[in-house]
């Protein structure tokens, strides 16, 4: 089992995140092979977005401190959602970090309430997997 790196900063319970300079510095000083992050929305251009601005700097630094695999864990509803604050674009992550893989883990398309949203989510997933060289981005659907 690998070590778990915890950061400083301020824990904000309403967003379930550590934020602030201490958290950014914690990730700046760390190097990890794998990171796990959540997002509020992801679009077909591979832009990762969050609802709270306070999260952006910490998540950006976490991404740039990761060397092998980034897990983005999010609900399938986030494939058809819009949100305000961009964190990064997957294409830029792949360009900046040699050989890193991005795995987007989500639930089933069937969890969306209508066929049009299911179609949109499938289109987003297909476009995401084609980003970069078409091999370093994977969308993984997890059944209940």
């Amino acid at each position: 089992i690998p070590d778990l790196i915890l950061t400083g900063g301020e824990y904000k319970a309403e967003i379930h995140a550590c934020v602030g300079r201490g958290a950014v510095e914690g990730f700046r000083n760390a190097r990890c092979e794998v990171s796990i992050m959540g997002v509020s929305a992801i679009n077909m251009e591979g832009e990762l977005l969050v609802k709270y601005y306070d999260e952006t700097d910490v998540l950006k630094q976490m991404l740039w401190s990761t060397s092998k695999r980034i897990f983005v864990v999010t609900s399938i509803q986030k494939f058809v959602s819009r949100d305000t604050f961009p964190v990064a674009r997957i294409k830029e992550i792949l360009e900046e970090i040699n050989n890193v893989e991005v795995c987007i883990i989500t639930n089933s398309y069937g969890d969306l309430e209508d066929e049009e949203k299911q179609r949109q989510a499938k289109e987003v997933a297909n476009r995401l997997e084609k980003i970069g060289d078409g091999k370093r981005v994977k969308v993984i659907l997890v059944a209940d």
Side-chain angles (χ1 to χ4, degrees), residues 37-54:
M37 68 179 291
V39 295
S40 301
I42 184 168
N43 61 32
M44 65 179 59
E45 289 79 33
E47 190 171 38
L48 306 173
L49 299 119
V50 293
K51 185 175 181 177
Y52 301 98
Y53 179 77
D54 291 351

Side-chain angles (χ1 to χ4, degrees), residues 110-140:
D111 291 344
L112 291 166
E113 60 271 7
D114 63 54
E115 289 182 20
E116 177 57 23
K117 286 190 177 188
Q118 291 175 16
R119 185 198 63 74
Q120 290 172 359
K122 288 176 186 177
E123 184 178 348
V124 170
N126 289 333
R127 292 274 300 272
L128 291 172
E129 288 189 328
K130 293 177 183 172
I131 293 175
D133 58 15
K135 296 177 184 172
R136 292 169 52 204
V137 178
K138 296 175 181 72
V139 177
I140 301 165

